[in-house]
Amino acid sequence: MHRPTDEPDARPPDPAQLDPAVLTALLARHGWRRRGAATGRYARWTPPGGSYGTTSLLVPCDRRFPDSTELLAEALAALDRSPAPSAREVLTGLAVPSDEVRWEREVPDGGSGAARWVAQEQLRGAARAMLIAGALGTYGRAGYYGARHKRRAEDFLDEVLVGPAAAGRRLTAFVPVRDGRAAVAGLQQALHAARDATDYQRATGGMEAFDAAVELGVCHELAQALIALVREAEGTRIAIEWSPAAGTPAGCPARPEPVEFSPGDLPALQRAAQRYVRAEPSLPVQVTGAVVRLRRERPDGRGTVRLRVLAGADVVRVRVALGEEDYRIAGHAHLAGLPIRVSGRLESRGGFRRITGGHDVTPVQVDEAERDRLLKLLQEKPGFFEEACGDALDEEQEKQD
């Protein structure tokens, strides 16, 4: 979620292909006001607040008239020149059909520039975490994901466009429909389920609603994102709007109600986040991975290996404790540039980054091209693997989870 809305590829479509209904829907969504009669051949639109000079748009109501393309081209040019922040948001919505997720935080007015910067970073971090939680829900239901599917969810964010986080109060993310609709639709459902579960907990003291909400997409990661949004704020509001070009996704309301959370919800959300971590079980796995580090205290005996996972688990890397014979086999495989296959249990404690009870270590034969690729990667970037798989990083990740 690092791509700003004014990047070069966030450009509006060809006026000859633009649907006037999509443009008018986006203008209305972002606060532009329609002037004149409700029906007719054209409509005049002015920016929200009327404080941006004489900017106005003449937009055809449909494409029946010969000057519709010319008027749409003029409207797009006027939007591009307009100083109104909403103009950039409309252009972004036109550039790529996107569902919009909006966050609003009630934070104290004033403060130093440093305080405002901190508030902006808090909002961006919480919004990023919430979109990741939405993406995780598309890969399978779990109360706690830890490192599972994390790389895939982060890659999903590469296509998301974001607006400015003015004073840490408001932020809009534009999630392309093509790759992100399932994540946004799941997030919409999960937010309402989290709101209902929080209300139930506050009314009864029971956590059963949070247990049932897992099937609706609520998880540790979503609870943590909500906590980050609400902490140090007087309240927060999340709203979702569907792309007018793509329409409403199946099974979702056409105009989802915004969801609000307040500081009074923090105890329930914190209890839920902790509960999800405790309740998620370890998993039996058989993992294939490249050995990137070996470590043991003595020249003989048990040791620990780090694997870059190739198959068998939805994580990028794991640490495995092995007996003496299995450790020796893993060492020989490492020297030969071969991956290994190992069985054990992927532990939820520590974020699913550790396999306990590792046994039956077997080198895996790969074709010559794959073997050369693995060897080259390990030779060219030994420092990378030391840093990526070091004890300090593992300990820090376990603390975060």
Side-chain angles (χ1 to χ4, degrees):
M1 207 168 114
H2 299 288
R3 301 176 63 208
T5 55
D6 56 356
E7 282 200 354
D9 59 346
R11 293 175 179 169
D14 182 351
Q17 305 299 319
L18 177 60
D19 184 350
V22 172
L23 174 57
T24 56
L26 288 170
L27 289 170
R29 173 180 299 177
H30 292 282
W32 286 63
R33 296 185 177 183
R34 178 174 179 155
R35 305 296 183 182
T39 59
R41 297 174 55 177
Y42 311 100
R44 176 79 57 185
W45 293 83
T46 57
S51 59
Y52 296 97
T54 58
T55 300
S56 68
L57 313 176
L58 187 63
V59 180
C61 295
D62 51 48
R63 302 197 67 97
R64 289 179 298 168
F65 307 106
D67 59 348
S68 60
T69 297
E70 180 181 349
L71 288 175
L72 289 169
E74 292 175 357
L76 294 177
L79 283 170
D80 192 48
R81 295 191 303 267
S82 174
S86 58
R88 180 58 52 188
E89 294 181 330
V90 172
L91 288 173
T92 301
L94 292 172
V96 179
S98 303
D99 297 322
E100 299 178 24
V101 184
R102 290 198 197 90
W103 294 268
E104 296 180 10
R105 293 179 80 224
E106 298 178 23
V107 294
D109 293 330
S112 65
R116 289 193 295 272
W117 182 84
V118 169
Q120 291 176 18
E121 291 305 300
Q122 288 174 336
L123 177 54
R124 287 187 180 276
R128 173 186 172 84
M130 186 170 291
L131 290 178
I132 286 178
L136 288 171
T138 67
Y139 309 136
R141 297 304 192 200
Y144 174 49
Y145 292 92
R148 293 181 294 171
H149 307 294
K150 187 174 182 181
R151 180 65 58 83
R152 290 173 64 190
E154 290 177 340
D155 288 346
F156 148 77
L157 292 186
D158 290 342
E159 299 304 314
V160 176
L161 297 169
V162 293
R169 291 188 176 89
R170 288 177 298 277
L171 179 68
T172 301
F174 299 84
V175 184
V177 170
R178 183 185 62 185
D179 299 320
R181 167 142 285 188
V184 177
L187 178 61
Q188 186 270 329
Q189 181 184 53
L191 284 170
H192 283 274
R195 178 67 268 170
D196 292 343
T198 302
D199 290 339
Y200 180 86
Q201 195 282 330
R202 294 187 65 176
T204 68
M207 298 296 292
E208 308 87 62
F210 276 107
D211 297 337
V214 170
E215 289 303 314
L216 298 174
V218 183
C219 58
H220 167 84
E221 287 75 11
L222 179 62
Q224 289 289 79
L226 288 168
I227 291 167
L229 273 175
V230 175
R231 185 181 289 131
E232 299 181 15
E234 297 172 8
T236 188
R237 183 175 186 266
I238 307 107
I240 291 174
E241 300 265 12
W242 310 120
S243 164
T248 303
C252 294
R255 293 180 176 81
E257 288 291 327
V259 184
E260 297 183 358
F261 290 86
S262 68
D265 298 322
L266 280 174
L269 292 170
Q270 290 166 340
R271 286 185 61 187
Q274 296 164 2
R275 184 182 181 90
Y276 286 141
V277 173
R278 291 194 301 266
E280 194 67 22
S282 60
L283 306 171
V285 292
Q286 186 179 68
V287 169
T288 300
V291 178
V292 295
R293 188 179 180 192
L294 300 105
R295 179 183 178 183
R296 60 181 174 181
E297 300 296 330
R298 303 179 308 179
D300 57 0
R302 297 177 61 83
T304 301
V305 301
R306 310 295 178 86
L307 302 181
R308 183 170 61 86
V309 176
L310 304 176
D314 299 310
V315 294
V316 177
R317 54 184 179 267
V318 292
R319 180 173 58 186
V320 191
L322 298 173
E324 181 175 5
E325 181 62 18
D326 283 327
Y327 184 87
R328 183 185 63 79
I329 295 172
H332 284 301
H334 174 67
L335 293 175
L338 294 175
I340 63 170
R341 184 179 295 117
V342 58
S343 299
R345 296 195 70 84
L346 187 63
E347 289 292 328
S348 59
R349 189 170 69 88
F352 294 98
R353 297 181 179 91
R354 176 188 304 145
I355 292 177
T356 58
H359 61 279
D360 295 338
V361 174
T362 307
V364 177
Q365 294 294 328
V366 295
D367 59 48
E368 196 66 24
E370 177 65 8
R371 181 177 181 275
D372 289 344
R373 188 185 70 80
L374 290 170
L375 283 172
K376 183 178 180 181
L377 188 60
L378 293 170
Q379 291 166 358
E380 287 181 349
K381 298 185 178 181
F384 168 78
F385 285 113
E386 287 292 319
E387 179 181 355
C389 302
D391 286 328
L393 181 58
D394 277 349
E395 292 172 2
E396 181 62 28
Q397 288 170 327
E398 290 176 13
K399 288 177 183 177
Q400 292 175 358
D401 288 323

